[in-house]
């Protein structure tokens, strides 16, 4: 008997500035009909509060209010839930994006330190050869940051720094956010209409 499985992605939001990137990515995937398994680090919750006024009191209620009403479904996993479905390679997902990705999380992934669900889920992507995209948002970068990125790139991880372009004529912050989210979706071969392409 054939089992029909809805396609799903894992999205991680860490404590780097730029939490709007992860929120917009989640919204975009949900609107395209994908299910999203969402992990938010403790520092990520703090940045969501500081930058977007997400209240962390009742986290599941906050997420349900913000991400409800889309075609896809949101599944929230607490960062400490190391026994979550996505901690196992036998649970099928399309891949994982950590956006924004702090240097601490990037280092954890680069060195296989699976001490929470964020690191474990990323480790699963590596061992199962599934797409893993990291969007670091830090400046300036020192040698350890760069060496960790190089180690991950050599493993096939896509490193997409949060570097906006301006050739398409952005007028608002939303335009800049949409461009970067669109570049992530492009890297995963997911069609979207988030920004105007060169030549269009």
């Amino acid at each position: 008997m054939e089992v029909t499985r809805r396609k799903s992605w894992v999205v991680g939001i860490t404590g780097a500035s730029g939490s709007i990137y992860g929120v917009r990515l989640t919204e975009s995937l949900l609107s395209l009909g994908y299910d999203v398994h969402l992990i938010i680090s403790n520092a990520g919750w703090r940045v969501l509060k500081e930058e977007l006024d997400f209240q962390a009191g009742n986290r599941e209620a906050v997420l349900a209010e913000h991400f409800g009403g889309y075609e896809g479904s949101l599944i929230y996993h607490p960062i400490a839930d190391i026994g979550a479905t996505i901690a196992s390679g036998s649970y099928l997902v399309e891949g994982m994006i950590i956006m924004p990705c702090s240097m601490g999380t990037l280092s954890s992934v680069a060195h296989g330190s699976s001490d929470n669900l964020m690191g474990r889920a990323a480790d699963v992507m590596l061992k199962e050869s599934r797409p893993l995209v990291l969007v670091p948002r830090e400046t300036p970068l020192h040698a350890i940051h760069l060496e960790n990125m190089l180690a991950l790139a050599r493993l096939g991880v896509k490193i997409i720094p949060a570097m906006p372009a301006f050739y398409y004529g952005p007028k608002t912050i939303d335009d800049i956010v949409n461009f970067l989210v669109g570049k992530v979706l492009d890297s995963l071969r997911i069609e979207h209409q988030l920004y105007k392409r060169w030549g269009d």
Side-chain angles (χ1 to χ4, degrees):
M1 181 178 175
E2 185 175 347
V3 177
T4 302
R5 180 180 62 87
R6 279 175 59 130
K7 291 186 176 181
S8 61
W9 294 88
V10 180
V11 173
I13 298 177
T14 72
S17 182
S19 55
I20 183 61
Y21 292 131
V23 170
R24 186 63 45 78
L25 173 66
T26 301
E27 292 169 342
S28 298
L29 289 170
L30 291 171
S31 69
L32 291 169
Y34 295 103
D35 290 343
V36 173
H37 293 266
L38 182 63
I39 314 166
I40 304 174
S41 70
N42 292 327
W45 275 108
R46 175 164 183 171
V47 176
L48 280 165
K49 182 179 185 299
E50 297 290 336
E51 295 183 346
L52 299 176
D53 199 31
F54 273 46
Q55 301 302 316
N58 187 339
R59 295 178 174 182
E60 292 193 18
V62 168
L63 294 174
E65 178 181 354
H66 191 88
F67 294 113
Y70 288 98
E71 184 178 343
S73 298
L74 183 81
I75 304 97
Y76 171 63
H77 300 281
I79 188 82
D81 187 7
I82 203 68
T85 54
I86 55 175
S88 173
S90 67
Y91 187 81
L92 297 178
V93 296
E94 304 305 308
M96 180 176 184
I97 310 101
I98 304 179
M99 183 179 193
C101 183
S102 67
M103 289 299 116
T105 297
L106 193 144
S107 175
S108 172
V109 176
H111 296 279
S113 176
S114 303
D115 57 353
N116 60 39
L117 184 58
M118 188 86 69
R120 172 57 185 170
D123 196 56
V124 166
M125 298 304 116
L126 290 171
K127 78 184 187 71
E128 300 293 335
S129 299
R130 296 174 189 158
L132 176 61
V133 177
L134 304 185
V135 182
R137 206 243 45 92
E138 185 67 83
T139 191
L141 298 167
H142 59 63
I144 295 174
H145 297 157
L146 296 169
E147 287 170 359
N148 286 337
M149 289 186 214
L150 179 59
L152 288 168
R154 284 175 170 159
L155 291 172
V157 177
K158 291 182 180 176
I159 307 293
I160 304 179
M163 296 177 180
F166 296 93
Y167 60 79
Y168 63 102
K171 301 295 190 297
T172 66
I173 290 176
D174 261 1
D175 291 339
I176 293 172
V177 171
N178 287 341
F179 174 82
L180 188 62
V181 172
K183 293 296 285 185
V184 169
L185 295 179
D186 284 350
S187 76
L188 298 168
R189 302 295 188 266
I190 297 175
E191 293 188 15
H192 64 87
Q193 302 294 325
L194 286 172
Y195 68 90
K196 183 179 179 182
R197 300 181 184 281
W198 181 253
D200 286 352

